[in-house]
Amino acid sequence: MSLSNYFKPVDQLTFADNFVFQTVLRDKEICREFVERLLHIKIKNIEYPELEKSIAPFYSTKGIRLDVYLKDQDKIIDVEMQSYQQSALGKRSRYYQSMIDMDSLMKGQDYTELKDSYILFICTQDPFKASENKKSIGLPCYTFKSSCLESEEVKLNDNCVKVIYNASAYREEKDPLVRNILQFISTNRPGEDDFANRLSTLVETLKDRESFRQEYAAMNIHDRDLIRIARQEGINQGIEQGIEKGIEKGMAVKALESAVTAVREFNLAPETVAEKMKVPLEDLLEALKN
């Protein structure tokens, strides 16, 4: 995927683009209804959704950044938007689950206190293909739970559910509430569904906001630099892996340079840039002085 395809002009962004998706789900009520529809559960109380939550329990482990990470009284839910094909989705979900559990246990919990967990992936294309002919399986939803191969009566009770939606197969979805959301994600047309129209209106409102445009531009500067660095080092594993490798190699200096550029060229507040680009505010202020 080329850089021009990876970074869309702001006017071409849709709900299925990660930056828009994360921003829209900052609204707690929007987030609640969205998750309740897709997971068929009720959420009593949402702790403020934590966007792009980073989990890296130990300095030597591979950390993760989650799109939308929220907690209910008895549940932890990770929601991921996949707008382009990802490799090893199953192993990715497995690793996310392990990091979420580790993050919980490091706060002093015992195994028995682990909350129910849901890993929710929304893919714009079918991530599963039949091995014989490489054609898509074509289901709108794939739900995975631990089961016993020898006996259906035996339950592991690990209380972990992984749900993967294929928005491109929205026509096959039986539940109209889910189908309407998948159709909006796949086609960017909300139809007559009230909730989908609320999402569509919010997306268009965001794209007209100067603050949103500035944040998106600042994020692009940072991510473009990381991609270029990764490519310069000969990392040919794809854009996402390249970004991760670039971060892992400690490209803090380049990230700081990008943050300085964002403040000066886009007239953004240093506090905003530091938060969005994940650089220490003190370092950014010092760099601006120098």
Side-chain angles (χ1 to χ4, degrees):
M1 182 181 297
S2 68
L3 284 174
S4 60
N5 290 332
Y6 190 76
F7 297 109
K8 292 183 180 178
V10 68
D11 293 329
Q12 296 179 15
L13 294 174
T14 70
F15 180 68
D17 291 295
N18 274 66
F19 190 72
V20 178
F21 175 73
Q22 294 165 11
T23 306
V24 169
L25 291 195
R26 288 178 185 173
D27 185 307
K28 293 176 69 172
E29 292 309 312
I30 291 286
C31 187
R32 181 201 303 274
E33 185 166 352
F34 184 81
V35 172
E36 285 185 345
R37 278 201 189 192
L38 294 184
L39 291 181
H40 307 288
I41 60 175
K42 285 296 182 182
I43 300 177
K44 299 175 184 177
N45 178 58
I46 293 181
E47 290 186 19
Y48 191 80
E50 191 168 349
L51 306 180
E52 284 198 337
K53 175 181 174 63
S54 296
I55 299 178
F58 307 103
Y59 74 91
S60 59
T61 62
K62 175 183 173 66
I64 60 174
R65 283 203 302 176
L66 307 175
D67 284 353
V68 180
Y69 184 77
L70 56 103
K71 297 181 181 180
D72 190 14
Q73 294 175 349
D74 57 353
K75 306 176 189 70
I76 295 178
I77 305 167
D78 168 39
V79 188
E80 303 287 328
M81 178 64 75
Q82 303 292 315
S83 56
Y84 57 93
Q85 289 284 7
Q86 296 276 13
S87 61
L89 190 61
K91 291 183 178 180
R92 179 184 296 271
S93 67
R94 170 183 163 187
Y95 192 73
Y96 282 16
Q97 178 61 55
S98 67
M99 289 292 100
I100 289 171
D101 288 343
M102 183 66 70
D103 187 53
S104 296
L105 287 176
M106 288 188 70
K107 293 177 172 60
Q109 289 182 306
D110 185 67
Y111 296 114
T112 58
E113 300 177 84
L114 284 175
K115 298 181 179 183
D116 296 354
S117 69
Y118 295 83
I119 308 294
L120 172 59
F121 281 92
I122 303 123
C123 303
T124 55
Q125 301 296 323
D126 195 343
F128 299 106
K129 297 182 182 298
S131 57
E132 309 83 45
N133 50 25
K134 301 299 182 182
K135 289 185 178 180
S136 296
I137 299 296
L139 296 179
C141 182
Y142 304 87
T143 303
F144 300 92
K145 297 182 181 180
S146 300
S147 61
C148 178
L149 298 180
E150 289 75 19
S151 173
E152 294 181 356
E153 297 181 3
V154 178
K155 307 298 181 184
L156 186 59
N157 294 324
D158 59 354
N159 294 4
C160 171
V161 181
K162 299 179 179 70
V163 180
I164 301 175
Y165 275 101
N166 165 26
S168 67
Y170 65 88
R171 294 181 181 87
E172 307 303 320
E173 174 58 46
K174 305 301 182 185
D175 186 332
L177 296 180
V178 174
R179 183 172 62 246
N180 292 338
I181 289 182
L182 295 183
Q183 177 179 336
F184 173 57
I185 292 171
S186 181
T187 67
N188 199 35
R189 296 192 300 270
E192 298 181 358
D193 184 83
D194 288 343
F195 183 62
N197 274 280
R198 285 169 59 198
L199 292 176
S200 180
T201 300
L202 184 52
V203 169
E204 295 307 312
T205 301
L206 283 172
K207 287 158 61 174
D208 286 336
R209 290 180 184 171
E210 186 61 28
S211 59
F212 176 86
R213 289 173 171 266
Q214 290 178 343
E215 287 183 18
Y216 182 65
M219 180 201 71
N220 278 356
I221 291 175
H222 179 238
D223 286 354
R224 283 174 189 267
D225 280 346
L226 289 176
I227 292 170
R228 289 192 183 98
I229 291 168
R231 285 180 172 173
Q232 288 169 4
E233 295 195 359
I235 299 170
N236 298 314
Q237 304 175 46
I239 284 178
E240 183 172 353
Q241 294 90 336
I243 292 174
E244 291 174 357
K245 290 293 183 181
I247 294 173
E248 288 171 3
K249 284 182 173 291
M251 300 304 177
V253 173
K254 197 64 181 179
L256 187 59
E257 291 176 359
S258 298
V260 171
T261 302
V263 172
R264 290 177 174 168
E265 293 192 7
F266 292 93
N267 196 29
L268 297 175
E271 292 78 9
T272 299
V273 173
E275 179 183 356
K276 297 299 177 185
M277 292 190 170
K278 305 293 188 296
V279 300
L281 177 59
E282 298 79 6
D283 293 352
L284 176 56
L285 293 174
E286 183 65 25
L288 289 168
K289 289 179 181 178
N290 296 331

